[in-house]
């Protein structure tokens, strides 16, 4: 290999990112055994608390092993000019840039998926199983993998092919066309996510008439929110962990409740969770996130267009023939500190929005049922009640349970 300065910069970025991540993990792990804040002492009893400590420690150790393994593998792959090897294979099948890019990414994606599968298998069938969360059967696990790969091939492959084609036809202006494509695609998936993507993996049924539906309708009417689409999803097919989310907009807007959530919570608590979700919609968080991510994508594509035709990018990965697809990988690695930074800023906004949605639920419904639902959900997923502030700052998209309870109970 003939290493260029850019190669060493890429290695440095990967290693520094790993070290920073491990420091944050270690800081967080040091606080696993902190005394539980007084406001939260009713979340766990002694046995459950011990179980949650074990769960956190097990996941911490497992994360340390997998991330170290993946770091070593990445460094070895880069050191041995792995990308040049894969590029040569792809070029042996075709000389069309789109076909080469598809084969190249196909091999990389399939390879990394094959390597990751034993780890996710262990996570699901050993760790989650041991703590009583896992409901996934082996058949579901295999089908999920298969469907995931197929979707990646069709959607990811389709988008990639179009973007490489834009680059071939329009040169550096490709970024504008790519941006328009990504924008149309993400608005479309946002809108029809529940109709098109969810049914591939789950069964959804409309919430049937009855007490719960009446209570939800009464709340929705009281805030002038037209909510006729409420669905129950069979989350229990995979895990006992519960969730609820909002998707779509306009006539496609709907709320989806996990069946596990409906089982774990009282009606009032479910309405409170729903009020929180309605808050996200009313406070325009969904539109904000969509626009912010479109602007970030545009910016990233624009910066990409400045550098992509520079052969230094491909050469940095030890690939002799410069190409769009190899340049894309090198750019992705070089850009990762910036995307970490934007992710960090987005997390900051997300935590702000969570408070606003909680406030909305408090002001238009009640705060206590939301407090008790958050506590139940934390208990049932064995959440960490004492995360380190630095870890929260970087990684958390939601405020901690303690912060949310404090906010909900303040006058
Ligand atoms: Zn929320």
């Amino acid at each position: 290999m003939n290493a260029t300065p850019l190669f060493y910069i890429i290695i440095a970025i990967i290693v520094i990112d790993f070290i920073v991540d491990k420091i944050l993990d270690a800081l967080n792990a040091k606080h696993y055994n902190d005394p539980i804040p007084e406001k939260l002492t009713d979340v766990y009893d002694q046995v459950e608390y011990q179980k949650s400590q074990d769960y956190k420690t097990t996941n911490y150790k497992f994360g340390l092993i997998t991330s170290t393994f993946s770091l070593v593998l990445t460094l070895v792959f880069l050191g041995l000019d792995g990308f040049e090897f894969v590029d040569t294979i792809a070029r042996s099948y075709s000389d069309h840039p789109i076909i080469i890019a598809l084969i190249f990414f196909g091999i990389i994606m399939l390879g990394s998926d094959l390597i990751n599968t034993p780890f996710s298998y262990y996570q699901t069938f050993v760790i989650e199983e041991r703590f009583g969360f896992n409901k996934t059967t082996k058949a579901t696990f295999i089908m999920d993998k298969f469907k995931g790969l197929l979707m990646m091939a069709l959607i990811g492959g389709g988008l990639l092919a179009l973007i490489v084609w834009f680059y071939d036809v329009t040169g550096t202006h490709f970024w504008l066309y790519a941006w328009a494509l990504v924008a149309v695609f993400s608005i479309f998936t946002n809108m029809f996510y529940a109709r098109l993507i969810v049914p591939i993996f789950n069964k959804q049924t409309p919430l049937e008439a009855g007490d719960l539906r009446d209570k939800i309708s009464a709340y929705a009417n009281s805030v002038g929110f037209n909510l006729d689409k409420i669905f129950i999803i069979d989350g229990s097919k995979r895990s006992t962990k519960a969730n609820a989310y909002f998707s779509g907009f306009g006539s496609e807007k709907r709320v989806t409740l996990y069946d596990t959530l409906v089982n774990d919570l009282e009606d009032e608590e479910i309405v409170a969770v729903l009020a929180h979700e309605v808050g996200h919609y009313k406070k325009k968080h969904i539109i904000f996130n969509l626009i912010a991510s479109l602007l970030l994508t545009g910016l990233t594509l624009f910066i990409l267009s400045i550098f992509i035709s520079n052969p230094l990018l491909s050469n940095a990965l030890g690939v002799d023939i410069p190409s769009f697809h190899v340049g894309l990988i090198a750019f992705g690695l070089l850009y990762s500190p910036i995307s970490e930074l934007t992710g960090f800023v987005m997390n900051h906004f997300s935590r702000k929005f969570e408070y606003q949605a909680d406030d909305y639920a408090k002001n238009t419904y009640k705060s206590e049922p939301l407090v008790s639902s958050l506590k139940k959900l934390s208990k049932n997923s064995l959440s960490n009640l004492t995360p380190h502030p630095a870890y929260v700052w970087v990684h958390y998209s939601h405020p901690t349970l303690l912060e949310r309870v404090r906010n909900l109970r303040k006058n």
Side-chain angles (χ1 to χ4, degrees):
M1 63 179 265
N2 51 344
T4 66
L6 212 48
F7 172 81
Y8 290 109
I9 293 175
I10 289 174
I11 298 291
I13 286 173
I14 294 171
V15 173
I16 291 170
D17 181 61
F18 176 81
I19 294 171
V20 171
D21 225 39
K22 290 313 113 187
I23 292 174
L24 279 173
D25 287 352
L27 273 178
N28 202 38
K30 262 180 68 177
H31 290 262
Y32 284 164
N33 299 319
D34 279 5
I36 293 185
E38 206 185 312
K39 281 195 169 63
L40 304 180
T41 44
D42 56 346
V43 172
Y44 294 125
D45 63 29
Q46 201 46 49
V47 176
E48 286 157 344
Y49 185 52
Q50 186 53 50
K51 196 174 157 195
S52 86
Q53 313 275 74
D54 292 345
Y55 185 55
K56 287 178 284 190
T57 314
T58 306
N59 276 320
Y60 171 55
K61 285 182 188 153
F62 183 65
L64 202 59
I65 293 169
T66 50
S67 58
T68 308
F69 175 79
S70 128
L71 173 77
V72 171
L73 203 70
T74 308
L75 294 180
V76 168
F77 189 77
L78 282 168
L80 296 178
D81 286 345
F83 288 112
E84 162 79 358
F85 179 69
V86 177
D87 192 55
T88 311
I89 296 177
R91 286 179 189 283
S92 71
Y93 286 99
S94 171
D95 15 81
H96 194 286
I98 295 178
I99 309 290
I100 297 170
L102 287 174
I103 299 174
F104 178 84
F105 274 103
I107 295 173
I108 304 277
M109 293 292 176
L110 206 62
S112 67
D113 195 73
L114 276 175
I115 293 164
N116 280 324
T117 298
F119 292 104
S120 69
Y121 183 93
Y122 186 87
Q123 174 94 51
T124 307
F125 293 105
V126 178
I127 298 179
E128 294 288 291
E129 184 78 38
R130 189 193 312 156
F131 290 91
F133 291 127
N134 181 42
K135 293 277 176 228
T136 313
T137 62
K138 307 252 153 94
T140 305
F141 184 83
I142 294 167
M143 280 311 282
D144 281 356
K145 269 269 160 252
F146 185 69
K147 291 175 192 168
L149 282 172
L150 201 67
M151 270 181 55
M152 167 78 93
L154 290 175
I155 298 174
L159 290 175
L160 178 71
L162 281 170
I163 291 172
V164 175
W165 182 63
F166 293 152
Y167 180 69
D168 272 358
V169 177
T170 68
T172 46
H173 291 302
F174 84 95
W175 76 274
L176 272 171
Y177 299 90
W179 191 18
L181 173 72
V182 174
V184 169
F185 177 76
S186 53
I187 292 169
F188 182 81
T189 26
N190 251 283
M191 185 97 177
F192 296 104
Y193 175 73
R195 258 182 214 275
L196 298 177
I197 312 285
V198 178
I200 301 175
F201 296 95
N202 282 89
K203 209 182 282 154
Q204 340 177 65
T205 39
L207 175 60
E208 48 192 61
D211 256 9
L212 178 59
R213 195 175 172 108
D214 292 345
K215 284 175 192 163
I216 290 173
S217 298
Y219 168 75
N221 287 333
S222 76
V223 291
F225 189 78
N226 181 12
L227 187 60
D228 43 2
K229 293 187 179 122
I230 308 162
F231 284 83
I232 307 285
I233 195 171
D234 60 342
S236 61
K237 182 179 166 187
R238 294 190 180 81
S239 169
T240 60
K241 290 176 180 171
N243 201 1
Y245 62 87
F246 197 99
S247 66
F249 34 81
S251 62
E252 285 298 320
K253 68 179 190 287
R254 61 162 85 189
V255 164
T256 306
L257 307 168
Y258 276 48
D259 54 354
T260 42
L261 186 98
V262 179
N263 286 334
D264 291 350
L265 303 184
E266 305 295 327
D267 285 1
E268 266 209 327
E269 293 168 333
I270 296 171
V271 178
V273 168
L274 225 121
H276 170 99
E277 297 301 328
V278 172
H280 279 309
Y281 191 85
K282 288 267 187 180
K283 299 279 173 190
K284 308 219 164 24
H285 300 157
I286 293 164
I287 295 291
F288 176 92
N289 285 335
L290 188 62
I291 292 174
S293 91
L294 288 182
L295 290 178
L296 278 173
T297 306
L299 180 72
T300 309
L301 283 168
F302 172 70
I303 299 172
L304 171 69
S305 75
I306 298 173
F307 295 104
I308 192 68
S309 42
N310 195 324
L312 282 176
L313 277 182
S314 295
N315 295 343
L317 296 182
V319 179
D320 296 329
I321 309 171
S323 63
F324 184 86
H325 57 274
V326 179
L328 200 58
I329 297 222
F331 178 81
L333 292 167
L334 287 165
Y335 196 72
S336 63
I338 298 174
S339 50
E340 295 264 337
L341 205 70
T342 54
F344 171 77
V345 172
M346 290 302 278
N347 268 346
H348 173 80
F349 277 110
S350 171
R351 290 195 299 268
K352 262 193 144 59
F353 291 166
E354 290 305 319
Y355 283 128
Q356 290 178 6
D358 280 352
D359 287 343
Y360 186 87
K362 176 164 90 173
N363 296 332
T364 62
Y365 190 62
K366 298 170 197 169
S367 59
E368 272 320 301
L370 190 53
V371 168
S372 63
S373 72
L374 291 174
K375 284 183 175 179
K376 275 191 195 172
L377 294 175
S378 294
K379 174 186 138 114
N380 293 352
S381 56
L382 297 176
S383 304
N384 184 6
L385 302 185
T386 54
H388 190 275
Y391 191 89
V392 174
W393 214 50
V394 176
H395 289 301
Y396 272 41
S397 62
H398 288 55
T400 65
L401 179 62
L402 179 64
E403 290 167 328
R404 291 181 75 179
V405 171
R406 264 194 200 134
N407 175 60
L408 280 165
R409 287 197 172 145
K410 106 184 153 204
N411 296 312

